[in-house]
Amino acid sequence: MRRPPVSGLLALAATVPGVVIAIAGVDPPAPLAALCFGGAIVGAAFILAWAAEAAQVDVSAGLAVAVLALIAVLPEYSVDFVFTWRGGAAAQQHGAACAPPGDPTPACSLALANMTGANRILVGVGWVLVVLIAWHRSKARGIRLGRADAVPLAFLTIASLYCLLLPFKRTLTLWDTAVLVAVFVAYSWRVSRAPAGEPDLIGPSAWVGAMPRVPRRLTVTTLFIVAAVVILLSAEPFADALVDTGSELGMSQFLLVQWVAPLASEAPELLVAGLYAWRLHTTEALGALVSSKVNQWTLLVGTLPAVFAASSGGWSGLPIAPAQRGELLLTASQSLLAIALLLGLTLSVRAAALLAGLFFVQFALGAVVPRAWHERELLALSAVYLLAAVAALIRHRAQLLPMLRDGLLTPYSHLGEDMHCTTTGGGRLRLRERLKSKVHA
């Protein structure tokens, strides 16, 4: 048997410092602890991704959709669940404020910060990265998705329209959980109807997938267990270290939780998508990230009120502070613009540049706009996103109904010879044997 790929060994090595610190019970400086535990989560996320891909050799398409969806998103959810659980505990102790008087960063705000940051990074960085790599490699003017990619796009449209209502509420409730989880379940059922195909495995997942059946299944099971243990040991200390780092260095805890923590959990997914794009498998790369966005905008958002309710011991729902309403509105507005730009199942370099520009404008504005105007800043930027989304929708209005019809109703057998099906597990793919990526020149 060939030696394990170096990338797999590096991912395992990245988990060691965090696990050693957690088991030994030592207390390093907060920035070092954040680095070690964050590295452990990134390494575990890569291990999970490779194990989930290799498992597709043995798991049927329907079961893969149901199981791998929950496995592949564990790193990201674990960190957000820590903040949400603490928000519930704080609400039980201090009421709806979720913090003692004078605390500038309530625990409930940190839970929503992590969720909104993860969603915006996926589109503002992930989608853009794939298009720019494709342009660099082939000088293509954009990426063309397959007709079957209308399925995740249609469900993303439904979820985004519903989430556009959240900023106008005072709490995320269990009703929101029921609606968004129902959308996720419907999406999972829809993609489970797609025909199975041979998985396209690369790197460590290909090494595991090439093993004989019994060693392969044992290896996949072991990788799942190792990754889960690493995440369980690292998630809470990583959250603590981020908050303490903000306090020690005079940095905003909110910004660290909103951007650094999601980058750690999203890094494997973004790197895998970037690798596919580098190899000019651009359809698969962008399709995976669209599917991931459905996952985050339904299951992640939908489960937060349930975690909060379990922690707080009540039914009042996760409180949304005024600033967090702006963050939710900005996240929903970005999603609607991304959908409008992708209605024709093509994401051009110009459209990617627009998404990237608006994504990074928020950081520029945050550096120059007084903190007291932060809510107005979010509202203004959201308005820009929504106006751009309306303009893009008008331009592509002829594609809206066909996309929704294909995504929600058309049988997979009619969605094209070149179709591939995406699973909901963080955007991992099951590809038809003869699939070829398409680059829209």
Side-chain angles (χ1 to χ4, degrees):
M1 181 179 295
R2 294 182 296 114
R3 295 179 180 179
V6 174
S7 55
L9 298 176
L10 289 176
L12 284 172
T15 67
V16 173
V19 171
V20 170
I21 292 173
I23 294 177
V26 297
D27 190 20
L32 178 60
L35 181 63
C36 292
F37 289 120
I41 290 174
V42 170
F46 271 111
I47 293 170
L48 274 178
W50 292 325
E53 287 182 333
Q56 296 178 46
V57 176
D58 299 299
V59 177
S60 66
L63 184 58
V65 169
V67 177
L68 301 185
L70 300 177
I71 293 173
V73 297
L74 181 59
E76 178 186 318
Y77 285 30
S78 61
V79 175
D80 209 355
F81 284 177
V82 168
F83 289 116
T84 306
W85 186 269
R86 290 182 177 179
Q92 190 177 41
Q93 183 176 359
H94 303 290
C98 289
D103 190 334
T105 314
C108 296
S109 295
L110 295 180
L112 291 173
N114 189 258
M115 180 272 289
T116 55
N119 270 278
R120 299 216 293 270
I121 285 172
L122 188 61
V123 173
V125 176
W127 290 25
V128 172
L129 177 68
V130 168
V131 174
L132 293 182
I133 290 176
W135 174 79
H136 172 72
R137 291 281 289 161
S138 67
K139 304 305 178 185
R141 291 179 296 176
I143 294 176
R144 173 73 181 175
L145 293 177
R147 190 180 170 192
D149 287 302
V151 174
L153 191 59
F155 282 92
L156 179 57
T157 301
I158 294 172
S160 297
L161 289 174
Y162 183 81
C163 288
L164 191 62
L165 303 176
L166 301 182
F168 303 98
K169 304 178 62 174
R170 294 185 179 274
T171 58
L172 288 178
T173 66
L174 293 178
W175 169 255
D176 300 315
T177 295
V179 172
L180 291 172
V181 172
V183 174
F184 174 78
V185 170
Y187 173 56
S188 299
W189 178 86
R190 173 76 165 126
V191 297
S192 72
R193 313 305 295 173
E198 293 296 325
D200 185 21
L201 306 180
I202 58 175
S205 60
W207 179 75
V208 175
M211 293 179 178
R213 184 176 63 179
V214 174
R216 179 178 64 246
R217 292 180 175 179
L218 289 175
T219 301
V220 168
T221 302
T222 301
L223 292 176
F224 279 146
I225 293 174
V226 168
V229 169
V230 170
I231 290 167
L232 290 174
L233 289 174
S234 303
E236 187 170 3
F238 179 56
D240 286 333
L242 278 180
V243 173
D244 293 343
T245 298
S247 300
E248 291 184 10
L249 302 181
M251 301 171 63
S252 168
Q253 296 177 353
F254 183 89
L255 291 179
L256 284 173
V257 170
Q258 187 173 40
W259 301 117
V260 177
L263 273 176
S265 59
E266 297 280 2
E269 188 169 6
L270 298 181
L271 290 174
V272 170
L275 178 60
Y276 269 97
W278 185 262
R279 297 182 177 186
L280 294 181
H281 293 297
T282 52
T283 298
E284 298 97 302
L286 184 58
L289 295 180
V290 173
S291 181
S292 296
K293 176 65 176 175
V294 179
N295 189 301
Q296 291 189 7
W297 217 204
T298 55
L299 191 61
L300 175 59
V301 180
T303 49
L304 294 184
V307 174
F308 181 85
S311 175
S312 64
W315 305 93
S316 58
L318 176 62
I320 308 175
Q324 292 309 302
R325 295 190 193 112
E327 297 286 351
L328 282 169
L329 179 61
L330 181 58
T331 307
S333 301
Q334 184 206 47
S335 297
L336 291 173
L337 175 58
I339 293 166
L341 293 173
L342 202 53
L343 276 180
L345 297 180
T346 300
L347 189 63
S348 67
V349 172
R350 182 178 300 178
L354 176 62
L355 290 174
L358 289 175
F359 177 78
F360 289 106
V361 158
Q362 63 188 307
F363 298 105
L365 290 176
V368 299
V369 174
R371 185 171 181 82
W373 291 9
H374 180 60
E375 293 178 31
R376 301 177 189 175
E377 168 201 332
L378 294 174
L379 289 174
L381 193 53
S382 298
V384 173
Y385 269 112
L386 289 173
L387 289 174
V390 171
L393 178 60
I394 293 173
R395 181 180 180 185
H396 299 291
R397 60 187 180 277
Q399 284 94 10
L400 177 60
L401 290 180
M403 181 275 291
L404 292 174
R405 183 174 60 250
D406 282 349
L408 301 176
L409 302 174
T410 304
Y412 266 98
S413 58
H414 296 164
L415 287 180
E417 182 65 23
D418 62 347
M419 71 180 178
H420 64 279
C421 72
T422 56
T423 75
T424 52
R428 300 276 67 81
L429 299 176
R430 290 177 60 86
L431 305 174
R432 290 191 65 170
E433 184 176 0
R434 293 179 296 174
L435 179 67
K436 294 182 179 179
S437 62
K438 300 177 185 177
V439 179
H440 183 62

